[in-house]
Amino acid sequence: MNGKQKFLTAAVFCAVASVGFVLPASAEETMTHDLDEVIVEADRDALPGGLVRSKARLGILGDKSVLDIPYSEMSLTQKTLELFDDPSMPLANVLQNNPSIRSSTSSPMYTDFSMRGINMNGNHMMLNGIPSLFYQFTTPPSHIIDRIDITSGPNAGVNGVSMSNNGTNSGATPAPGTINITTKKALDTPITRYTQTFSGRGNLGEYIDIGRRFGKNNEWGLRVNAEYMEGALSLPGADKNEKNIFFNLDHRDQKSTTNLFAGHFDLRVDGGQRWFQFSPSSNYKGSSLPGAPDSKKNYDFAGTTKYVHGYIMTLNHEQKMDDSWSWFANFGQSRRSGNKDNQGSALKFDENGNFKGNQFNQQNEAGKNVYAQIGIKGSVHTGAVKHNLAFSVDRSWAKYWNNSKSYSPNGGSILGDLYNGIIFPDNYQLETFGAGKPQWEETNVGITVADTLEYGKASLLLAASRKHENFENLTGGKSFTNNNTLPTYGFTYKPVDSLAFYAGHTESFSRGAVVKNDDRYTNKNATLDPVKSKQTEIGVKYQNAGILTTFSYFDIDEANRYDIDAPGNKLTTVDDGKNRYKGLELTVNGKIADKWTATGGLMYLDAQRENTKNGLKDGLFVTGAAKWSGVLGLEYTPDKNWGFVGRAIWNDKAFIEDTSGKGKYEIPSFVTFDVGVHYKTKINTVPVKFSAMCYNVTDKDYWMGRGGSSTFGLSMPRTFMFSAQFDL
């Protein structure tokens, strides 16, 4: 019996044993449909239908009504995760229920997605309000998440001073928004939950979720979540293996709340390379990419892998000083290390689909992030005006180690084509080289001041962060100090309680990016200067009859930083003006009929380049950003036991340039469909929920654009997911 068979046998045994010990002798008594005792983690702030919340986090000012927040906000609940998430896929699969977000990859080897056309990844996620604890390969695993607050709007000045390296591959901090993850806490009702999942071609997952409250008035709570996942994905030749355990310890009383979250993670993805780059010959006159190949095609050699392990923790405390004032403290730390062996970041191919100029890449890396914040908040009155004040001081520190090497197997380029796969020598041996070496170190210290002034039906948000940044490029021998202020303004007017008109503005600075320590780059280890980004938004929100609708106009700019071809099959990273993103966004969430719940919306995006070198590319398209995109998710519940789920995701066509920056090529539009069903029952006294989901039902093959990048992804094939959840 091999390891996978042993795992499958053990998993099946656990599922049977979890309910078998309570089965009665009579088979007639084993099934019942009386669900009065089913454990439901209801969110008291959830809108009817339970997919989104009516409250979200407003930085250091704490939770506020979505109608009172002067930018677009969407807070996803646990129910949304349960309906749409496949734990073997990137978390972006759930995030794209928000119309401002589109997934940039379908492979769990990466976490990339775009928000309002700007590429982002795990670096941009906050955990319990703590920034910079994840990176491009990692996001919070879905089984620890209580809620996800998605801010696609101008809020940079209310979150404190975060690391500036939270961009793709430690790049710039863009202005489109933030994503804050809140971890699960113990409920007043005890939970002992076992969940088993099956996904793809043989990916099996087991999850334990135990929660208890204890002490006087249940003031202490402990929630433990653990995962063991192993097996083949829907893409032939790709596997995901993940092991982790996390605990959340919290304390609450009349004067204080404390929350400690910590855990260890171990994640490996073998295979799953899905990023490409178009490099046609000089005489190519076409205007489109070659057609997307069969998404079941594997482009990995036998040793392709990406591995990371480490730990993470957050600590949050708030203490009342009197009825109006309290002080708070937040702390977080993460440490990771791992390795990557693959065919570089993206496989280049020509107009015939033939691979060209590709190299092999090996990398050992490590990173450490530490964050600390302390502050006070409260309210005072000056005449008829109420001030909701907050003040904080914070410090963030990060260090990154890396040792990488790029080379061609047997002295030649990796060959093959899109339609038959890569040609890689079977006898090729991976090289052995040392651990990561220090690359860069960054320290940020800052203060944040925020005041929301309430007068009658209007409120005015004034906030600013003063940031002192010290960055040292340890390989290039260059360091710099950057002092800047990040202002945020917001205005809300509510003529009636259910209607809000709002406007907001923010500014932020990127860090001076470090060019990769890679021999392919002519300017490797160079440090690029910081660039200011701005964002403005105006809109209206309306909440009525269980439905929350937001309509907004936004205007964002960011640094246009990308790679260009250089002589000798080399690359050069350059800054070339800014990308400008203007658009309209409509979001609708809530119960649209007695048995129907909807979530989703539409986004129109006009993305162009400005202030480019000598004005040569002013007014041209931003690569990878589609003008139109949308999502619609529906749940139909004919009764309390059954539920049917459907989701459609649409991306309009987008355009990219080739690696020379001279050609314009179309990424065709696409629509994908996901469908599923869930059923609640009991096996004797044990509540059970069975779920089945099919992603990409039509097995659509398509290219996926990445906002602001000339690289693009390839879809994953049709994927089935089944799960059984037992409340013991």
Side-chain angles (χ1 to χ4, degrees):
M1 183 179 291
N2 60 33
K4 185 172 291 185
Q5 289 172 326
K6 290 179 180 178
F7 174 76
L8 177 59
T9 301
V12 172
F13 174 78
C14 289
V16 173
S18 65
V19 296
F21 70 94
V22 296
L23 291 178
S26 171
E28 295 179 358
E29 297 175 10
T30 59
M31 300 296 290
T32 176
H33 300 285
D34 180 7
L35 297 180
D36 293 341
E37 298 179 6
V38 173
I39 298 174
V40 178
E41 295 192 59
D43 190 331
R44 65 182 181 181
D45 294 320
L47 291 171
L51 297 182
V52 299
R53 304 173 75 252
S54 60
K55 290 186 177 181
R57 185 175 182 269
L58 183 59
I60 61 175
L61 291 166
D63 281 5
K64 302 290 183 182
S65 167
V66 171
L67 291 177
D68 294 328
I69 296 175
Y71 34 77
S72 297
E73 188 81 41
M74 184 174 175
S75 182
L76 306 181
T77 64
Q78 278 189 57
K79 181 178 178 180
T80 302
L81 283 162
E82 290 180 357
L83 290 184
F84 296 101
D85 180 55
D86 177 350
S88 71
M89 298 174 69
L91 188 60
N93 189 50
V94 176
L95 297 178
Q96 60 184 343
N97 276 22
N98 184 305
S100 71
I101 293 178
R102 294 278 67 86
S103 178
S104 301
T105 178
S106 55
S107 166
M109 187 172 274
Y110 304 97
T111 65
D112 291 61
F113 57 92
S114 65
M115 179 183 288
R116 292 182 171 175
I118 298 176
N119 197 53
M120 301 170 69
N121 57 43
N123 280 290
H124 297 91
M125 296 183 182
M126 306 171 74
L127 185 69
N128 294 326
I130 309 299
S132 307
L133 300 181
F134 299 94
Y135 80 123
Q136 192 178 18
F137 184 36
T138 61
T139 59
S142 58
H143 68 101
I144 70 168
I145 298 175
D146 176 65
R147 77 189 218 212
I148 306 176
D149 290 344
I150 301 174
T151 303
S152 46
N155 70 330
V158 299
N159 291 306
V161 175
S162 63
M163 295 302 297
S164 64
N165 66 302
N166 60 338
T168 303
N169 299 322
S170 301
T173 301
T178 56
I179 295 176
N180 183 59
I181 306 291
T182 300
T183 55
K184 293 178 179 177
K185 299 179 179 63
L187 305 175
D188 289 329
T189 303
I191 288 179
T192 304
R193 178 172 293 165
Y194 170 78
T195 303
Q196 187 166 346
T197 64
F198 175 88
S199 179
R201 295 164 42 253
N203 185 272
L204 291 162
E206 293 186 278
Y207 301 85
I208 298 295
D209 184 358
I210 300 173
R212 296 289 188 276
R213 298 210 71 86
F214 50 93
K216 184 179 179 181
N217 298 321
N218 279 341
E219 61 185 16
W220 290 93
L222 178 64
R223 189 83 175 253
V224 178
N225 286 274
E227 174 187 27
Y228 186 93
M229 176 189 290
E230 180 182 79
L233 303 175
S234 58
L235 173 66
D239 294 71
K240 182 177 181 181
N241 303 281
E242 187 167 16
K243 301 180 289 291
N244 56 59
I245 184 168
F246 300 94
F247 74 87
N248 196 104
L249 177 67
D250 75 280
H251 177 266
R252 65 191 186 194
D253 57 33
Q254 293 182 347
K255 292 187 176 181
S256 68
T257 58
T258 305
N259 193 81
L260 172 65
F261 172 82
H264 180 270
F265 58 90
D266 185 289
L267 171 64
R268 179 185 296 275
V269 177
D270 297 323
Q273 183 89 7
R274 310 302 274 171
W275 275 356
F276 298 86
Q277 193 165 21
F278 189 44
S279 182
S281 59
S282 58
N283 60 354
Y284 178 60
K285 303 301 181 182
S287 59
S288 296
L289 297 177
D294 185 349
S295 57
K296 297 183 182 65
K297 183 61 63 177
N298 187 297
Y299 299 98
D300 305 298
F301 73 99
T304 299
T305 189
K306 201 170 185 181
Y307 172 65
V308 66
H309 64 94
Y311 67 85
I312 192 167
M313 66 87 65
T314 65
L315 177 63
N316 311 94
H317 179 78
E318 183 170 344
Q319 183 77 40
K320 286 186 177 181
M321 295 184 287
D322 55 34
D323 292 339
S324 300
W325 288 88
S326 62
W327 65 269
F328 58 90
N330 300 298
F331 176 82
Q333 180 170 314
S334 69
R335 174 68 192 240
R336 70 178 192 273
S337 60
N339 65 279
K340 177 173 67 174
D341 302 313
N342 67 347
Q343 306 91 284
S345 61
L347 283 169
K348 291 183 181 180
F349 63 87
D350 64 17
E351 65 271 23
N352 297 313
N354 295 318
F355 296 139
K356 53 183 288 189
N358 292 298
Q359 291 185 311
F360 181 71
N361 177 65
Q362 286 185 267
Q363 181 176 347
N364 293 327
E365 66 171 356
K368 185 176 182 180
N369 287 68
V370 181
Y371 176 85
Q373 179 187 60
I374 189 168
I376 59 172
K377 62 181 180 180
S379 60
V380 297
H381 287 81
T382 55
V385 179
K386 180 182 179 182
H387 298 262
N388 300 291
L389 299 165
F391 173 83
S392 70
V393 179
D394 35 8
R395 182 182 189 274
S396 57
W397 174 86
K399 190 171 183 178
Y400 178 68
W401 296 260
N402 180 55
N403 190 5
S404 62
K405 186 176 183 180
S406 296
Y407 46 89
S408 299
N410 295 343
S413 175
I414 296 173
L415 301 176
D417 61 71
L418 286 176
Y419 311 106
N420 297 292
I422 64 170
I423 298 175
F424 205 94
D426 292 334
N427 60 351
Y428 184 72
Q429 298 295 317
L430 299 180
E431 296 192 14
T432 301
F433 59 101
K437 303 173 183 178
Q439 301 294 301
W440 54 260
E441 185 173 356
E442 180 180 354
T443 303
N444 291 310
V445 180
I447 61 173
T448 298
V449 180
D451 183 9
T452 301
L453 299 85
E454 299 179 8
Y455 178 77
K457 298 179 179 180
S459 64
L460 176 66
L461 169 65
L462 301 174
S465 291
R466 177 64 179 174
K467 180 178 180 180
H468 175 81
E469 175 186 36
N470 186 288
F471 176 79
E472 185 175 1
N473 185 340
L474 300 175
T475 58
K478 181 179 179 181
S479 62
F480 64 81
T481 298
N482 181 32
N483 297 314
N484 53 70
T485 300
L486 313 180
T488 294
Y489 320 105
F491 176 77
T492 303
Y493 177 71
K494 296 169 63 177
V496 294
D497 291 341
S498 59
L499 179 65
F501 298 93
Y502 69 92
H505 175 81
T506 195
E507 299 177 9
S508 60
F509 276 83
S510 72
R511 185 189 71 184
V514 180
V515 178
K516 294 179 182 179
N517 182 20
D518 190 322
D519 291 337
R520 291 175 299 169
Y521 287 84
T522 60
N523 58 341
K524 72 174 185 177
N525 298 323
T527 303
L528 305 180
D529 291 334
V531 179
K532 179 187 288 188
S533 296
K534 299 179 180 180
Q535 181 176 7
T536 300
E537 180 178 341
I538 59 174
V540 57
K541 301 176 184 180
Y542 181 60
Q543 182 176 332
N544 185 43
I547 301 174
L548 174 62
T549 302
T550 302
F551 181 70
S552 62
Y553 165 81
F554 58 87
D555 185 348
I556 313 169
D557 65 35
E558 63 147 4
N560 183 23
R561 183 170 288 156
Y562 58 96
D563 295 340
I564 61 173
D565 280 349
N569 199 28
K570 298 282 188 176
L571 296 171
T572 303
T573 300
V574 298
D575 277 329
D576 188 19
K578 288 190 173 186
N579 294 332
R580 186 80 174 269
Y581 305 84
K582 299 179 181 180
L584 299 170
E585 185 177 293
L586 173 68
T587 303
V588 180
N589 291 283
K591 204 159 189 176
I592 58 176
D594 181 43
K595 298 179 180 181
W596 290 88
T597 302
T599 181
L602 289 168
M603 182 176 68
Y604 169 77
L605 181 64
D606 180 19
Q608 298 183 8
R609 281 170 272 186
E610 296 181 347
N611 303 320
T612 60
K613 186 176 181 180
N614 299 322
L616 294 178
K617 295 186 178 181
D618 286 2
L620 295 184
F621 60 94
V622 172
T623 55
K627 279 191 176 294
W628 288 94
S629 60
V631 58
L632 175 62
L634 292 171
E635 183 191 24
Y636 172 63
T637 52
D639 56 42
K640 64 181 180 180
N641 300 333
W642 286 94
F644 299 89
V645 183
R647 182 174 63 174
I649 298 171
W650 168 53
N651 259 32
D652 194 11
K653 62 184 179 182
F655 296 94
I656 61 165
E657 291 178 326
D658 62 33
T659 52
S660 68
K662 297 178 181 178
K664 176 183 179 181
Y665 306 102
E666 179 183 312
I667 298 177
S669 63
F670 64 86
V671 179
T672 62
F673 299 95
D674 309 322
V675 297
V677 59
H678 55 84
Y679 174 63
K680 297 177 183 178
T681 186
K682 279 189 177 181
I683 301 179
N684 194 29
T685 60
V686 178
V688 183
K689 180 180 179 181
F690 297 103
S691 299
M693 195 78 177
C694 181
Y695 301 93
N696 191 9
V697 172
T698 61
D699 204 21
K700 175 78 172 177
D701 304 320
Y702 56 93
W703 297 120
M704 308 169 66
R706 300 178 65 220
S709 174
S710 61
T711 63
F712 47 91
L714 176 63
S715 59
M716 288 281 272
R718 180 192 296 120
T719 300
F720 293 97
M721 193 274 288
F722 307 95
S723 70
Q725 177 181 286
F726 304 88
D727 284 315
L728 306 176

